[in-house]
Each structure stands twice: as structure tokens, then as C-alpha cells.
Amino acid sequence: MKLRLLALGSALVLTACGGGGLDTPIAVATPSPAPTAAPTAAPAKAVQWQAQLPAAGSAVCFDFDAGSEVACSTANWDLKLASAARGVSLWSNSGESGSGKGGVFGSPFDYTWSALQKWQAGLLDPTTGQAIPDTLYLKDTADSVFTGSNGIQSKAFEYGVGGSNDHKLYPNFRVFLVTTDHSAASATGNSTSPVYALQMTGYYGGPSGTTSGYPTFRWVDRSVAGAPVRNEQVDARTGWVYFNLTSGQAVAASDAWHIAFNRYNVKLNSGSSGTGKVGGFLAKTPAGFYAADGSTPVAAKFTENNILDTTKSELTASDLQLPTQASQWKKDSVASKLNPAYQGNYPGKLDFGWYSYYPVANGAIVAHSQVANPDRGTLLRSAEGNSYARVRLKEIRYATPGNVSSQQTWQFEFETLPASK
């Protein structure tokens, strides 16, 4: 059976950082023996969601603060369970998936349920005893050629390359090709379908020059001989800024746009992000920015003097990797940490984090069964942005045991947490 891979690329979670600490103990008149281990605070509320898997093309939603299923058309849902003809996906009420202030801290591959039991507050790391930034709860985002597998899900930026006390974003000066028509089969472009080479070059600006949320980029039209390199910075602190690379101007979302920025997130006008035919392709990663494993940042390179000037020539370099067919141009879709890339090889068991899929029979497990992985979980921020919950998929039941075509019930377990202890 051919599977449509709905799960998207997972990423490593950033190391928690920031201030804060444990509460000061209250003095008592009569000394008591010291406990042998720190007590675990009881969760504010434990709730179950018996979700009936909806028909393909439909979704059901849950509000963990209210402890009840709610219409997905409302503003206060926290977790969405969606079904398609060949797969199931989960979404938070955030970013591209909803208008709420939700977010996800890690995927089910990052945390065991027993590890999550140690969390007493949504923004307090139980290992270090330190507060963590709320921004580490990642929103559902547009999955474009600019989406990566690092802690901030970016292919264009790295976070904190200087270590645990470094909280800045650094560009890696990768060269991305952007075509206005992804049906084009080559990267040379033509007069009606230009191809731009683009680099993200910074993230801080504004009047002080140091305020975050001001992405800077430069680009050149590679389909025009001798075209100049152009530079721009946009104020993307509070929402998406849409940009036309041909005119070099920010435009309305209803106008012709090619690329858009929301803080360090980037999307293109195609697929789930827009009605256009814009496509992207990663053409080059400049040498020296990453170790031999291809993913560990080399701090000295990111902070090298004159790095902005020495990487400019990459835009017009002759050794850029070019797409050889139209299918290599990436169109936008939607990504969430709740949908990590599956692990395993067909026709063996495929592990999607929350559950495992068995293409063929395995002992008592019927072929094509989905079986919950209750020892996995993640942390979820509510749509209101002021409460948190650890969540796991506890069980998948079939209305008729052994009949994988019968109605499925997905039982989720939530334990709500305050923001701080």
C-alpha cells in the first residue's frame, strides 16, 4: 500500500534557558524529617478526550481547560484531530492552523510520558529549575523551503550559536532560489518567469538597530544578466509582511506577492500559503557554517568579521545547485511539531510518534492497524496562551476489534499545568 506521508519533518528542541527558580520553602515551627525525594505536584486537572476519528476531510477539536470537545469553528480549541483519505494529523491552535495563541514544546519523539510527569509548570524546566522562554512553544507554521529541522524550525537562521547564554538569531547565508512559476523546469528563468537567488542576512533592526523581528534579506534576479543585488529590511514583529521581489516593495496580502515574513518565519505564495505558483529550492550552504555532520553550527563562522560582505558573492556563484525538473521546486504546506516524520521502513512497522502503523500483520496485530504509543507525549499551550498541558495518546480502539475499517476512537489524556509553579 502506498502511504501518503502526512507527518512532517521533526526537529530538535532548544535547550531551556532563562531566569527564575524554585519557590522559597515556608518555615514551620516543628521540624519535620526531610523527604527522601522532592514531591511531585498534583496536576491542576486531568481530563480524557474520547475522540471519534472523523471522516476523511473532517476534523474534531478539544478544549483541555474546559475538558470538553468543542467545534473547530470556535476560537478556544486547543488540539485538533484531522483525518484524510490516507492519514491522520494533529494541530495546535496557532500560526497557520488557527487564530489562537497555542504552541507545541517538542514532538512525541522528544519526550516520554514519565519524563513529562516531572513538569509542575508549563514554563519551568524540571531538570534545571529554570524558567524557559514561552517562545519555545512553537506555532504551527508554513512548511516551505525555508523550514528546517533545528530548534526554531528554520533553514535560514540558527539560535544561540554562542552557547546557553546566547539568545540571538544568526543567519547562515544559505542561497535559496525562488521562482515565480514552479511549473518551470529549469532555474535559468525567462522574461515571464524570473528566478531570484535570495539570502536572509539578519534579524535585528528598527530605530535602535537591535530590536528583534526585523528580518533583512538580499536578492538578485538570476534570469537577467548583470542584475544588481538588492537589499531590504521589513518590520515583521506583529504579523506577516508580504513582499514582491520584482518591484522590491511590501504589498498587501491581496496583491501579487512572492515571499512573506513573520519574525523569522518565511513562506512563499503557493500551496497552503497562497494562490500563486511561487516555488523554492535550496541551492547552496556556504562553506564553514556547519560541522562535518551538516547540522552543528560553527560559532566562529557565524560571528566572523565581515561575514555579510564575504558571503554576498554566493548569490551569483556559478556552483549553485539547480533544480533539473519542475517537481524539485518546493511548494508551501503546513507543519506542526505534533506531526513528526515517521520512523521505520515499509513494509515493517512505521512509527509516527503518537502511534505505530502496521502495514502487515504482526502477531495478534491485524494488518493496517494503528496502535497507540502511550509512553510518548508532548507539552501543549492553550489557545488562550495562559495555560499548558502534557498530553498523550493513551489508546486507539476499533468499534469491531480486528476490523480496521470500523469506527476508531482515539483516547487522549491531558494533565493541565499553570505557566509557573
Side-chain angles (χ1 to χ4, degrees):
M1 185 183 79
K2 294 183 180 179
L3 296 177
R4 179 182 179 184
L5 304 184
L6 295 179
L8 303 173
S10 60
L12 297 176
V13 178
L14 289 171
T15 302
C17 55
L22 300 176
D23 293 337
T24 303
I26 301 174
V28 295
T30 304
S32 301
T36 57
T40 300
K45 189 191 323 182
V47 295
Q48 306 286 326
W49 181 24
Q50 305 286 346
Q52 300 291 310
L53 187 66
S58 301
V60 289
C61 293
F62 190 77
D63 180 347
F64 64 68
D65 285 319
S68 61
E69 189 169 301
V70 296
C72 295
S73 58
T74 64
N76 59 335
W77 64 269
D78 301 317
L79 182 66
K80 177 185 290 185
L81 174 65
S83 181
R86 297 186 180 180
V88 180
S89 56
L90 296 170
W91 307 95
S92 69
N93 193 343
S94 67
E96 296 295 299
S97 298
S99 59
K101 299 177 182 178
V104 186
F105 186 49
S107 82
F109 285 121
D110 295 318
Y111 290 106
T112 63
W113 186 245
S114 59
L116 291 173
Q117 293 292 302
K118 298 177 182 179
W119 287 72
Q120 300 180 24
L123 297 177
L124 183 65
D125 188 322
T127 302
T128 65
Q130 292 186 319
I132 64 172
D134 200 32
T135 52
L136 294 189
Y137 280 81
L138 299 178
K139 298 179 180 180
D140 293 359
T141 63
D143 178 30
S144 73
V145 69
F146 294 91
T147 305
S149 59
N150 60 12
I152 57 172
Q153 299 177 290
S154 175
K155 273 196 180 118
F157 292 100
E158 293 290 345
Y159 171 81
V161 299
S164 59
N165 293 321
D166 185 354
H167 305 290
K168 293 182 179 180
L169 289 181
Y170 296 82
N172 56 24
F173 297 95
R174 281 176 166 147
V175 179
F176 299 89
L177 298 180
V178 178
T179 177
T180 58
D181 185 356
H182 56 62
S183 63
S186 72
T188 55
N190 53 55
S191 59
T192 59
S193 180
V195 172
Y196 301 100
L198 182 144
Q199 289 175 315
M200 301 303 301
T201 57
Y203 183 63
Y204 301 92
S208 67
T210 59
T211 303
S212 64
Y214 283 86
T216 305
F217 55 100
R218 61 190 176 195
W219 75 103
V220 63
D221 187 347
R222 287 180 62 93
S223 56
V224 176
V229 174
R230 293 189 279 180
N231 297 268
E232 191 59 69
Q233 182 179 88
V234 295
D235 181 355
R237 291 173 296 168
T238 59
W240 287 103
V241 176
Y242 299 87
F243 199 86
N244 185 299
L245 293 171
T246 303
S247 66
Q249 300 289 326
V251 297
S254 57
D255 292 335
W257 61 277
H258 302 125
I259 191 168
F261 308 89
N262 185 348
R263 301 193 70 83
Y264 58 82
N265 299 301
V266 185
K267 65 181 181 180
L268 299 175
N269 190 354
S270 64
S272 62
S273 297
T275 58
K277 295 183 178 181
V278 180
F281 184 83
L282 175 57
K284 186 178 183 181
T285 299
F289 281 84
Y290 294 93
D293 61 8
S295 61
T296 302
V298 178
K301 185 66 175 180
F302 278 83
T303 57
E304 189 178 89
N305 289 334
N306 300 321
I307 192 65
L308 186 66
D309 294 329
T310 58
T311 55
K312 184 177 181 180
S313 60
E314 303 287 359
L315 284 174
T316 54
S318 59
D319 63 346
L320 296 185
Q321 183 180 354
L322 306 176
T324 58
Q325 53 189 352
S327 61
Q328 291 180 303
W329 290 105
K330 183 173 176 62
K331 297 177 289 185
D332 278 22
S333 58
V334 180
S336 173
K337 292 287 284 184
L338 294 172
N339 298 313
Y342 78 94
Q343 298 178 4
N345 297 296
Y346 187 85
K349 181 183 76 172
L350 303 181
D351 187 346
F352 286 86
W354 299 102
Y355 65 94
S356 293
Y357 171 75
Y358 292 82
V360 297
N362 188 327
I365 300 176
V366 177
H368 305 306
S369 291
Q370 292 169 310
V371 180
N373 295 325
D375 57 334
R376 308 259 185 80
T378 191
L379 294 168
L380 189 67
R381 185 172 58 205
S382 69
E384 293 79 11
N386 57 6
S387 61
Y388 303 79
R390 45 181 169 251
V391 56
R392 65 171 171 167
L393 177 61
K394 196 172 182 179
E395 184 182 12
I396 297 176
R397 297 191 303 272
Y398 290 88
T400 303
N403 181 359
V404 296
S405 298
S406 62
Q407 175 64 55
Q408 297 180 34
T409 299
W410 289 43
Q411 181 183 349
F412 291 92
E413 183 174 47
F414 300 80
E415 292 181 351
T416 61
L417 300 167
S420 58
K421 186 179 174 185

